[in-house]
Amino acid sequence: MREVSEMTKRIFVFGLIGLALILAGCGTLFGPGPKNIANNPIPLTPVDPSAIPAMETLPVRIDGDYIQGEIIVGYRDEASLYQVLSLVNGRIKHQTPQINAALVELSGMSVPEALGRIAWAVRRGELKGIRYAEPNYLRELIEPLPATNPEVMGAILPKVYDPNIDLRPYQWGLDAVRAEEAWNYATGQGIIVAVVDTGVDGLHPDLEGQVIGEWFDAWNLTWISGYDSSWEPVYSSVYQRWFEGSHGTHVAGIIAAKNDGVGVVGLAPAVQILSIRIFSPDPVLAGRTYFVGDYNAAVGIIEAVEYGARVLNNSWGGKGYSQTLKAAIDYALMNGAVFVVSMGNSYLDEVGYPAGYPGVIAVGATNAQDKKVDFSTVGGHISVSAPGDRVLSCVPRWMEQDGTGLPLLYDYWGGTSMAAPHVSALAAMVLERNPTATPYQVKRIIEQTATDIEAPGFDQRTGYGRIDAAHAAQTTTLPGEGASVAVFAVTKSSGFPIPYMDITLRKNGIDRYFGQTDFEGYYHGFFSDWGYGFFLEIEPGIYEVIIGGEDTTLYWWSWMRVANRVTARETVTLGPGMNDPVVLEVNTTLQVTLTWDEPVDLDLAVWEYDPVNGTYVWSTPKTGALWGTFSGDAQTGGSETYTLVVPHWDWDVYLLAIDASNASATATASITVMQNGVTEVYGPYSVQAGGFYPSNTWEGWWENTPHPFFGVTGPGGPVVY
Ligand SMILES: [Ca+2]
Ligand SMILES: [Ca+2]
Ligand SMILES: [Ca+2]
């Protein structure tokens, strides 16, 4: 334990990134189900294992849309990266040494196959220097909701603006957060805020001089001099031109529009805006509105930090847990940059990323009545709320007024995209006052000074409340530091680290932080420097640490039922600074019971496949198995049970079927699966005499669906057919 602790501390000190996992989360590759299938009476002949084709790849889960033709590989050493290149017939498109990640272009191989080949090689112990491999998942802009009825607190707001009039009276959000009083203490002087977004119109009359005259194009992974106002020569479509840079410009205006008595004013008007354009330059590329791959987003984040941004505003998100994005955000936090994210406009209680990563400030939206706006996404990972309804801010010069052809310049938009920049501005003000504050301390000051709204105290709809800029900007007493901790999941029987496990940190009954154990650990011996989930800069306190894994994933034809249930939990107290690692043991016993009443002889049939040894074991009749035992070969009704104790994490696959070849008549049978105290019953199924149920043939079960068996993964292994 001591050794782990010191190793972990060393990693932290040297700024390496604790990397969690790939290919997890919640999506599914498979269609909805279940489907009814007919019992097929044709007998199955037990198979000669040598006849089964050799595997070169493992099936992998992919949790969301991704960019075709490329994968992201996180590596420990370059030699392993080059091994991967030859394995997947790829070439390095780009490398990011700060997080040891590479974007690998594939030629002629699909993303699932490439990832499967890497997983297979890792499983065989042939790729010891790879931390993870994952798809380049897509993230999308959190689209704003233009206000159709720009009426706030009884005042009808102007729709066509004279750029020479003062629009401050229409910025209700600045009243709500007490901007003018806050400006007595701070205006964001000397702080660079990166707007990681669609680009910013740096020559907008209210942003000219507020925006740094070079910007990073994360789509092409290059810095460009001047302002991101490339719209005119590039797009012929009015629609495209209309949207180009509009989101980022609106966000930038909320943060830093000039306090010059005309137009609008930003909450931190002395801030310098750095435009990091991560989104597709063409807003409607491939029929998709504004998107980016995780790799490009990660590079944009790292470039912003390297440039000197102390605050990063991120009004975007998506599904799928990305190691690469997590690494980039940890890099920002470790370098003292505050990472602000929109919660999302989904109306739902759900976790997206980057909002769900530990250490970020996830922001919900409030309206002029100080209530949560309906669309604002709910969840225990929320930090605070800020004005995000009918927010008046800048739009690019090329957006035109309806019918007149004149520039619109300003417009009312709503969304958590508009709430986040209020918090980014405030973070800059807090940093101006407290230059040595860590990202956690900045977050904590903003939380502690927020005005509690809705349910008393922290709540999952509005976090610690609606921000109060005047209160936060006055604060010069630093709160305690954040807590950091590594969480390991290990097998109960032998203490091996288990990759692919979801970790939840629950505080006061609310799920606050999410992580995942990573690819490695298993192949580097006990408690290597990887193989855990890392939580950086979180709130100290008493937590229930919960390890949930897809420890029992059952398949029934094209229907996959993912049981992402609790497998281990422990209550720990996390203090400020680096804590000793938390090691949770996962029970890896699986019990399968076949039950029936009819006076016939059914047999529970189990195939086990061990991909490392390439062996299949057909466990019918009752000959025992690699790691399990049978009990009760019932001949005339009753039950038979197979108990499996896996001593280590594995990719092994267990396929279940009902062997009715000895049955003399139709019987009604059920299969009960028990693991970690959870029992699930499948069936009852009407099983005809003479064959195997649910199918008659094993051929192609690996490669093709529908699969002839129930499949049960080894403990900890999420993947499998
Ligand atoms: Ca102004
Ligand atoms: Ca509250
Ligand atoms: Ca039997």
Side-chain angles (χ1 to χ4, degrees):
M1 235 37 34
R2 183 101 307 256
E3 198 181 321
V4 179
S5 170
E6 284 171 5
M7 179 130 7
T8 308
K9 283 173 184 162
R10 204 162 64 236
I11 289 164
F12 183 69
V13 167
F14 288 128
L16 294 173
I17 308 300
L19 289 160
L21 149 293
I22 53 186
L23 306 180
C26 45
T28 171
L29 284 172
F30 303 92
K35 291 178 179 173
N36 293 319
I37 59 165
N39 190 7
N40 191 324
I42 301 168
L44 175 147
T45 306
V47 181
D48 172 8
S50 64
I52 296 173
M55 278 177 53
E56 291 181 338
T57 178
L58 285 169
V60 293
R61 288 186 57 200
I62 292 178
D63 292 328
D65 289 349
Y66 56 89
I67 296 178
Q68 302 289 342
E70 58 192 39
I71 58 172
I72 313 174
V73 178
Y75 53 91
R76 179 203 298 267
D77 56 71
E78 295 217 342
S80 299
L81 175 60
Y82 283 97
Q83 252 182 293
V84 166
L85 296 182
S86 64
L87 192 66
V88 301
N89 191 23
R91 68 169 192 94
I92 296 172
K93 210 169 166 183
H94 194 265
Q95 241 173 309
T96 305
Q98 292 92 334
I99 57 170
N100 274 2
L103 183 64
V104 172
E105 188 175 56
L106 305 170
S107 80
M109 192 181 291
S110 72
V111 168
E113 189 184 348
L115 296 176
R117 278 173 181 263
I118 294 168
W120 172 240
V122 168
R123 175 64 185 86
R124 292 179 69 95
E126 292 164 359
L127 267 182
K128 299 201 176 192
I130 293 300
R131 300 196 316 246
Y132 65 87
E134 65 185 6
N136 197 3
Y137 285 125
L138 296 174
R139 308 286 154 183
E140 293 184 329
L141 194 71
I142 294 175
E143 289 202 60
L145 309 157
T148 51
N149 176 20
E151 176 187 332
V152 177
M153 302 181 89
I156 303 294
L157 304 172
K159 190 62 188 164
V160 175
Y161 313 102
D162 178 347
N164 299 311
I165 68 165
D166 183 7
L167 296 171
R168 168 65 187 87
Y170 305 104
Q171 294 182 269
W172 69 267
L174 294 186
D175 298 334
V177 305
R178 299 198 293 152
E180 275 77 5
E181 200 180 332
W183 293 336
N184 293 326
Y185 304 98
T187 52
Q189 188 70 45
I191 306 293
I192 296 173
V193 176
V195 172
V196 183
D197 211 295
T198 61
V200 174
D201 178 9
L203 296 175
H204 185 287
D206 233 341
L207 288 172
E208 205 171 353
Q210 308 294 87
V211 181
I212 292 168
E214 57 183 322
W215 58 281
F216 186 71
D217 175 358
W219 195 259
N220 295 306
L221 300 169
T222 182
W223 283 92
I224 296 177
S225 295
Y227 298 108
D228 181 12
S229 301
S230 55
W231 56 282
E232 200 163 25
V234 178
Y235 303 117
S236 53
S237 145
V238 170
Y239 178 78
Q240 286 169 318
R241 245 186 293 160
W242 199 75
F243 278 108
E244 166 65 9
S246 58
H247 192 267
T249 301
H250 204 269
V251 165
I254 293 167
I255 298 169
K258 277 188 279 192
N259 190 7
D260 55 0
V262 295
V264 296
V265 55
L267 179 55
V271 148
Q272 285 211 289
I273 296 289
L274 175 65
S275 175
I276 303 287
R277 193 178 77 185
I278 59 169
F279 287 104
S280 45
D282 184 339
V284 290
L285 193 63
R288 185 182 282 279
T289 309
Y290 280 129
F291 65 96
V292 64
D294 279 330
Y295 186 86
N296 299 65
V299 173
I301 289 164
I302 288 165
E303 290 291 335
V305 174
E306 302 275 296
Y307 193 92
R310 292 291 309 273
V311 180
L312 280 69
N313 188 86
N314 300 274
S315 294
W316 50 275
K319 293 290 185 185
Y321 187 99
S322 162
Q323 296 270 23
T324 312
L325 205 48
K326 166 76 160 57
I329 292 166
D330 281 354
Y331 182 82
L333 296 172
M334 286 178 179
N335 284 283
V338 179
F339 199 90
V340 180
V341 194
S342 302
M343 279 291 286
N345 301 344
S346 74
Y347 295 81
L348 303 171
D349 181 346
E350 64 174 7
V351 181
Y353 296 97
Y357 291 119
V360 307
I361 306 181
V363 183
T366 51
N367 61 22
Q369 287 72 44
D370 245 358
K371 301 283 186 211
K372 171 188 172 292
V373 190
D374 285 348
F375 56 70
S376 186
T377 300
V378 175
H381 53 299
I382 192 172
S383 168
V384 288
S385 297
D389 181 40
R390 300 173 191 188
V391 176
L392 184 60
S393 183
C394 308
V395 295
R397 288 162 297 138
W398 47 88
M399 289 182 81
E400 294 171 356
Q401 296 173 16
D402 291 344
T404 67
L406 296 169
L408 185 58
L409 292 178
Y410 303 95
D411 203 1
Y412 291 94
W413 289 2
T416 54
S417 285
M418 282 63 248
H422 283 90
V423 175
S424 292
L426 185 52
M429 295 157 86
V430 170
L431 278 169
E432 180 192 344
R433 295 279 280 167
N434 304 277
T436 64
T438 64
Y440 175 74
Q441 287 171 322
V442 172
K443 175 180 181 176
R444 196 65 197 136
I445 287 172
I446 290 170
E447 290 175 346
Q448 283 174 334
T449 57
T451 300
D452 188 18
I453 59 173
E454 302 218 347
F458 177 87
D459 66 77
Q460 298 184 64
R461 290 164 51 85
T462 61
Y464 281 97
R466 187 256 310 132
I467 60 166
D468 180 346
H471 193 179
Q474 287 177 46
T475 305
T476 51
T477 307
L478 288 183
E481 289 186 14
S484 296
V485 67
V487 178
F488 288 79
V490 302
T491 57
K492 196 167 196 166
S493 50
S494 56
F496 272 91
I498 312 172
Y500 303 107
M501 298 296 276
D502 296 329
I503 306 164
T504 302
L505 265 52
R506 182 176 292 172
K507 192 169 186 243
N508 297 326
I510 297 172
D511 294 345
R512 296 291 303 279
Y513 306 106
F514 307 95
Q516 282 165 347
T517 58
D518 74 3
F519 215 60
E520 289 198 300
Y522 183 69
Y523 298 102
H524 296 281
F526 296 106
F527 303 124
S528 71
D529 47 355
W530 306 104
Y532 55 80
F534 194 51
F535 294 81
L536 188 62
E537 296 275 284
I538 64 170
E539 194 173 293
I542 299 170
Y543 286 91
E544 207 177 350
V545 180
I546 299 164
I547 300 287
E550 286 136 336
D551 46 292
T552 305
T553 305
L554 299 169
Y555 297 88
W556 176 261
W557 291 77
S558 62
W559 168 54
M560 178 179 76
R561 189 198 180 295
V562 175
N564 191 8
R565 61 178 65 109
V566 169
T567 58
R569 70 172 81 205
E570 188 179 317
T571 300
V572 299
T573 301
L574 301 179
M578 178 60 70
N579 288 262
D580 279 345
V582 174
V583 180
L584 264 70
E585 293 181 327
V586 175
N587 186 342
T588 55
T589 301
L590 175 74
Q591 204 169 71
V592 181
T593 302
L594 175 70
T595 53
W596 71 102
D597 293 329
E598 291 81 356
V600 299
D601 183 7
L602 293 185
D603 296 306
L604 176 61
V606 180
W607 272 92
E608 296 181 354
Y609 176 65
D610 176 351
V612 165
N613 299 316
T615 54
Y616 295 77
V617 176
W618 181 234
S619 298
T620 287
K622 316 290 176 294
T623 55
L626 284 181
W627 301 297
T629 52
F630 272 108
S631 61
D633 176 12
Q635 311 282 327
T636 56
S639 68
E640 309 186 350
T641 296
Y642 177 64
T643 303
L644 173 76
V645 181
V646 176
H648 54 91
W649 173 78
D650 229 315
W651 289 91
D652 299 330
V653 179
Y654 307 93
L655 301 174
L656 310 180
I658 301 167
D659 179 359
S661 46
N662 295 326
S664 53
T666 299
T668 304
S670 300
I671 288 181
T672 304
V673 178
M674 283 196 298
Q675 190 171 27
N676 295 301
V678 178
T679 300
E680 282 173 343
V681 179
Y682 295 85
Y685 306 109
S686 178
V687 181
Q688 295 179 35
F692 278 72
Y693 189 89
S695 182
N696 63 306
T697 174
W698 66 271
E699 281 101 346
W701 63 262
W702 187 266
E703 298 291 340
N704 309 302
T705 54
H707 304 294
F709 301 101
F710 295 99
V712 181
T713 72
V719 177
V720 182
Y721 288 142

